[in-house]
Amino acid sequence: MQRIRVLVVDDHRIFAESLAAALAAEPDVEVSAAGSGPAALRCLERGAAEGRRFDVLLVDADLGGPVGSGPSAVPARAGDEDGIVDGMSLVTGVRSVHPRVRIVVLAEKDDPRRAALALQAGAGGWVAKDCSLSRLLTVVRGVLRDETHLPPALLTGVLRELTAARKHRTESERLVESLTPREREVL
């Protein structure tokens, strides 16, 4: 039986430890936990250096999220190195450095916009933090088979968000195409 190496990344220690303990009870799962994006990157690097790469990252959607909102929001963890201060930037960073690692985002609530952003960043799944262990294991095993997993109730909203993003990108491309060569050079 091939073991699945999972890294839980959540800055809520009790949740991370509880989830790690529940997953570790599975005979085919080996699990570790990290409390921040930089700690997760260090775990991934250490695992790769030791020839024990992680297969799946379970990332808190609200990992180190901003305090407040809008452009003046500040990171909850000032001083996080590598620019990794939230779950979505961790997803992007891991996918660029460790493309074979599959990522599942754990969320307290379903949010089609954030789920779409997670998928665009490279996540393979979005699940509720309060889902059953069997559901979570189904998603973990599914993303390892390159499946994308979303709650059915979220699918319509995510598709709407992705379609809107594509439409916006197309309009932006048209605007850029209408520029003169000099305008493009300046841009």
Side-chain angles (χ1 to χ4, degrees):
M1 164 175 33
Q2 185 172 350
R3 295 186 53 85
I4 301 169
R5 294 205 65 229
V6 176
L7 179 60
V8 177
V9 187
D10 195 308
D11 49 8
H12 298 95
R13 185 175 172 193
I14 293 172
F15 176 81
E17 289 176 358
S18 298
L19 180 57
L23 288 169
E26 293 295 311
D28 64 336
V29 177
E30 181 181 333
V31 65
S32 298
S36 69
L41 292 174
R42 287 190 298 272
C43 285
L44 289 167
E45 291 301 325
R46 189 171 46 249
E50 295 171 356
R52 298 172 29 121
R53 299 183 191 283
F54 285 93
D55 302 304
V56 178
L57 212 62
L58 300 178
V59 178
D60 178 10
D62 298 318
L63 179 70
V67 176
S69 61
S72 62
V74 295
R77 293 177 170 236
D80 269 353
E81 59 270 22
D82 304 322
I84 305 295
V85 295
D86 65 21
M88 295 307 153
S89 61
L90 179 61
V91 171
T92 302
V94 168
R95 291 300 291 165
S96 66
V97 178
H98 303 277
R100 291 180 16 201
V101 174
R102 302 296 178 244
I103 302 171
V104 175
V105 175
L106 303 169
E108 287 190 31
K109 63 180 181 176
D110 286 341
D111 179 341
R113 184 185 62 76
R114 291 182 72 209
L117 290 171
L119 293 175
Q120 288 174 320
W126 178 279
V127 295
K129 282 188 168 185
D130 63 357
C131 75
S132 69
L133 183 60
S134 65
R135 171 72 183 137
L136 181 58
L137 288 167
T138 297
V139 171
V140 165
R141 290 181 177 111
V143 298
L144 285 171
R145 293 186 303 267
D146 289 326
E147 298 171 359
T148 301
H149 284 260
L150 291 169
L154 196 60
L155 188 56
T156 300
V158 168
L159 290 174
R160 189 175 296 124
E161 290 291 329
L162 293 173
T163 302
R166 177 66 188 144
K167 181 180 177 189
H168 176 71
R169 196 169 38 248
T170 302
E171 290 171 7
S172 299
E173 290 168 354
R174 256 185 281 147
L175 287 173
V176 170
E177 289 172 358
S178 70
L179 297 175
T180 66
R182 176 65 182 144
E183 289 171 329
R184 275 192 224 121
E185 182 181 324
V186 169
L187 179 62

